[in-house]
Amino acid sequence: MAHQFAMSDNIQLAAAANPFNLEVETIIRAGAPIEFAGTELTTVSHDAIPPSRFELPAAAESRDDIIRRIDATATDQWVTAFRSPSGQVW
């Protein structure tokens, strides 16, 4: 949670000095919050997470498959997946 919050601060430079953000950082440094944004920490488990929890529901798409899928539904020749107007693939 601390890492996520720090990344958010890096993206929103003006928000880093926000008094709310500074207070949240102080709380996070003190330990795991028990309640945050309506979510409450009720239990902590050190049990191993079964590998099945990390299985994808389907095979992962390749980059080329994603480009083809987006390009197939693009409605404007300038709207293409990962391509500049000159055709360069990023």
Side-chain angles (χ1 to χ4, degrees):
M1 186 171 185
H3 181 69
Q4 179 64 43
F5 202 79
M7 286 181 14
S8 295
D9 277 354
N10 287 336
I11 293 170
Q12 304 172 22
L13 297 177
N18 178 313
F20 172 78
N21 289 2
L22 295 173
E23 184 177 350
V24 170
E25 284 182 27
T26 301
I27 292 168
I28 290 174
R29 279 193 209 109
I34 301 302
E35 185 176 359
F36 183 79
T39 302
E40 183 179 352
L41 176 64
T42 57
T43 61
V44 174
S45 172
H46 297 283
D47 296 343
I49 299 172
S52 61
R53 292 280 304 267
F54 299 98
E55 291 176 5
L56 296 175
E61 284 185 282
S62 71
R63 180 176 174 266
D64 290 337
D65 289 340
I66 293 169
I67 290 171
R68 277 193 290 278
R69 180 172 46 82
I70 293 173
D71 285 350
T73 58
T75 57
D76 183 313
Q77 65 181 352
W78 297 101
V79 181
T80 58
F82 311 107
R83 294 183 199 282
S84 69
S86 66
Q88 178 183 359
V89 177
W90 294 314

